[in-house]
Amino acid sequence: KASLDNLAIDASDRIFVSNMADNGIQEVNPETGTVKQIIIGKLALPGGIAVVSDGGKDTVYVADVFAYRTINGDSGDVSEPARMHADGTALEYPMSATAKGDFVVLSSWFTGTVQVIDRKTHKTLEMLHDFKAPHDAIRLSDGSILINELGTKSLVRASGDHGKDRKTVVGDLAGPVGLVEGPNNAVYLTEAFAGQVSKVDLATGAKTVVAKDLKMPEGIALAPDGKLVVAEVGAKRVISVDPQSGAVTELAGNLPIGLAGTPGGLPTNIPTGVGIGASGAIYVSSDIENAIYKLTKK
């Protein structure tokens, strides 16, 4: 299948081929051409995730780096609308995902890409390039897109024809990673390097710190009760943040999140994603275990 990555040949001339999207290895017999699957995974390397609830059922949209996948929140069944290097597929190493209404927005800090996908048909509607390490992006009701551009330390709005009109909403951000739309024309974002969650007024660009003294906060989502749910990767936990008081409550700890980056790479590496269903169920991606966890109240 597409997304072949590498190969090795052993002393018996057996060929072993790896596949990025399958998180798998196959053995090829060089004499017969027969193929045997040695190992395979349902996910590759999950980063940002988004959740949409339809008719009481949660669907998790996963930026799986080497594929774009969806997961049934109840059964855990995985579907794959697209994978890297497949014929006719437009996909550029997605690392973050958001979803609202009919749209899923993928972004990749590796390729500087923001991609808008029709949530139901999975067709690509827009592919925007030349961003500097975009770490999350959301599509607003007016069709414009907000992007956490870590490379310029800015929250950027892209609008107009193919998003070519780009303006900075607020700058001097310390590692903007997660982004979620809030009420009253405001958004909330995580500043991983500063260890804080901030609120930005989209009309004025004014920034207010909501919570601080956190350890590498990354993914962020808005719960039905108005609280913010954040993946505090440096503390390997998921927390709830009251946007009014800034009070922090641990929801789940000792989570397998926060895959260490390579030397010279970005400290954020693969962003840890958080999403919330209409029932309040919380989903969090594990880059260490290549898994999606579902958190529910006891």
Side-chain angles (χ1 to χ4, degrees), residues 42 58 71-78 294:
K42 292 184 178 181
D58 295 340
I71 301 174
N72 183 307
D74 292 326
S75 67
D77 291 341
V78 178
K294 183 177 182 179

Side-chain angles (χ1 to χ4, degrees), residues 43 46-54 57-64 67-73 79 81 95-106 117-122 273-275 283 285 292:
L43 298 175
I49 61 174
V51 179
V52 176
S53 302
D54 290 314
K57 296 182 179 180
D58 295 340
T59 300
V60 184
Y61 298 86
V62 185
D64 206 14
Y68 163 53
R69 293 188 162 108
T70 67
I71 301 174
N72 183 307
S79 299
M95 295 181 174
S96 298
T98 63
K100 183 180 179 182
D102 294 332
F103 305 96
V104 175
V105 183
L106 304 177
I117 296 175
D118 184 298
R119 188 171 65 85
K120 297 178 180 177
T121 66
H122 304 303
V274 171
Y283 301 83
S285 62
I292 304 296

Side-chain angles (χ1 to χ4, degrees), residues 105 114 116 128 137-140 143-147 156-159:
V105 183
V114 173
V116 181
L128 310 180
I138 57 176
R139 186 183 186 279
L140 301 178
S144 64
I145 301 172
L146 291 176
I147 303 100
V156 175
R157 185 195 294 263
S159 59

Side-chain angles (χ1 to χ4, degrees), residues 1-6 17-26 28 35 37 39-42 66-67 69 80 83-87:
K1 291 187 289 185
S3 290
L4 297 181
D5 184 34
N6 220 320
V17 181
S18 61
N19 186 295
M20 298 180 290
D22 282 344
N23 201 5
I25 296 175
Q26 293 176 310
V28 180
V35 178
Q37 193 77 43
I39 190 171
I40 193 169
K42 292 184 178 181
F66 306 113
R69 293 188 162 108
E80 182 187 276
R83 66 166 51 203
M84 288 297 302
H85 308 306
D87 289 343

